[in-house]
Amino acid sequence: NAGVTQTPKFRILKIGQSMTLQCAQDMNHNYMYWYRQDPGMGLKLIYYSVGAGITDKGEVPNGYNVSRSTTEDFPLRLELAAPSQTSVYFCASSYSRTGGDEQYFGPGTRLTVT
Amino acid sequence: AQSVTQPDIHITVSEGASLELRCNYSYGATPYLFWYVQSPGQGLQLLLKYFSGDTLVQGIKGFEAEFKRSQSSFNLRKPSVHWSDAAEYFCAVGESGYSTLTFGKGTMLLVSP
């Protein structure tokens, strides 16, 4: 199993550009998550999904969009990149919604917006 | 709403010395508690988790954590630190019936020779 994979690893965007961060998991997990990590701030939940076709906002959803057309994939879309979106983005997945299930993390995408 | 506090931003420990990283949570019922580790440039890896039962939980890499309800704490410990333990450590809390986690801001562990 590859686990959770993310592409790209690094990306530099200009202000106003758009991009999609890709995330895929091969563990047949229903639940998937997008976090952003800023220095000294821990991880903030952007969006999450409880299954194909179902998504919900997390703590910091503004400026982002997601879709979940399959169980395996959960892409994160930035429509009009802003410097405030410079961050490291992590995708994660878990098996169920008991609240006690381990979340498995991808290696992250480091995004810089200039 | 649940919250997690990690009071120490940075901790420096000598190699071979013991380690304790603090975590306090705010949650009304019995929480699900986790410790994750993040090595530089990597994603997060689960060290251990607490759901119920024995309040002393053993994890990977020789780590353990103790749940103390009276103090709302879930501190991470290791008897003897190795240089490879240098990383950032995150405490997280989950809630029964919900899949999302709330993370603390992290504690950076530096290991001196």
Side-chain angles (χ1 to χ4, degrees):
Chain A
N1 283 353
V4 180
T5 57
Q6 292 183 239
T7 56
K9 289 187 190 295
F10 304 94
R11 184 72 187 268
I12 299 174
L13 279 183
K14 294 190 184 302
I15 294 171
Q17 286 185 321
S18 301
M19 79 163 294
T20 299
L21 281 66
Q22 301 292 345
C23 173
Q25 53 90 10
D26 62 0
M27 297 174 283
N28 202 30
H29 286 171
N30 287 320
Y31 297 86
M32 296 187 73
Y33 315 85
W34 273 106
Y35 295 92
R36 60 176 289 170
Q37 183 182 29
D38 301 300
M41 299 302 294
L43 277 75
K44 302 287 188 185
L45 183 65
I46 305 172
Y47 270 95
Y48 67 102
S49 169
V50 300
I54 306 170
T55 63
D56 207 349
K57 296 178 181 178
E59 185 179 356
V60 290
N62 291 346
Y64 307 95
N65 278 300
V66 293
S67 60
R68 184 98 180 268
S69 57
T70 67
T71 299
E72 294 77 20
D73 301 298
F74 190 41
L76 177 72
R77 178 86 178 158
L78 282 71
E79 290 294 349
L80 291 170
S84 61
Q85 293 177 305
T86 293
S87 188
V88 181
Y89 292 85
F90 289 99
C91 180
S93 70
S94 66
Y95 179 66
S96 74
R97 67 173 296 170
T98 64
D101 257 6
E102 174 182 358
Q103 291 189 11
Y104 294 81
F105 284 80
T109 294
R110 185 175 294 274
L111 176 67
T112 302
V113 182
T114 63
Chain B
Q2 58 204 30
S3 65
V4 178
T5 301
Q6 293 181 247
D8 304 305
I9 298 174
H10 296 99
I11 281 186
T12 300
V13 175
S14 299
E15 192 168 15
S18 63
L19 168 71
E20 183 169 28
L21 301 182
R22 296 183 290 165
C23 172
N24 294 98
Y25 67 91
S26 172
Y27 178 61
T30 300
Y32 297 107
L33 294 162
F34 304 79
W35 275 100
Y36 284 85
V37 61
Q38 183 182 30
S39 298
Q42 304 295 316
L44 278 70
Q45 179 186 20
L46 181 70
L47 282 177
L48 48 77
K49 57 187 177 183
Y50 170 80
F51 295 165
S52 63
D54 193 347
T55 56
L56 186 62
V57 180
Q58 301 298 321
I60 63 171
K61 305 185 180 187
F63 285 91
E64 66 178 26
E66 186 171 13
F67 170 61
K68 293 186 178 180
R69 184 190 301 276
S70 61
Q71 299 177 18
S72 297
S73 69
F74 188 57
N75 294 350
L76 182 70
R77 302 193 294 245
K78 187 170 185 179
S80 177
V81 169
H82 188 262
W83 63 266
S84 60
D85 293 323
E88 191 159 20
Y89 292 80
F90 292 93
C91 183
V93 61
E95 185 175 358
S96 177
Y98 295 88
S99 62
T100 59
L101 296 179
T102 299
F103 285 84
K105 294 185 178 181
T107 297
M108 182 67 73
L109 172 66
L110 305 173
V111 180
S112 60

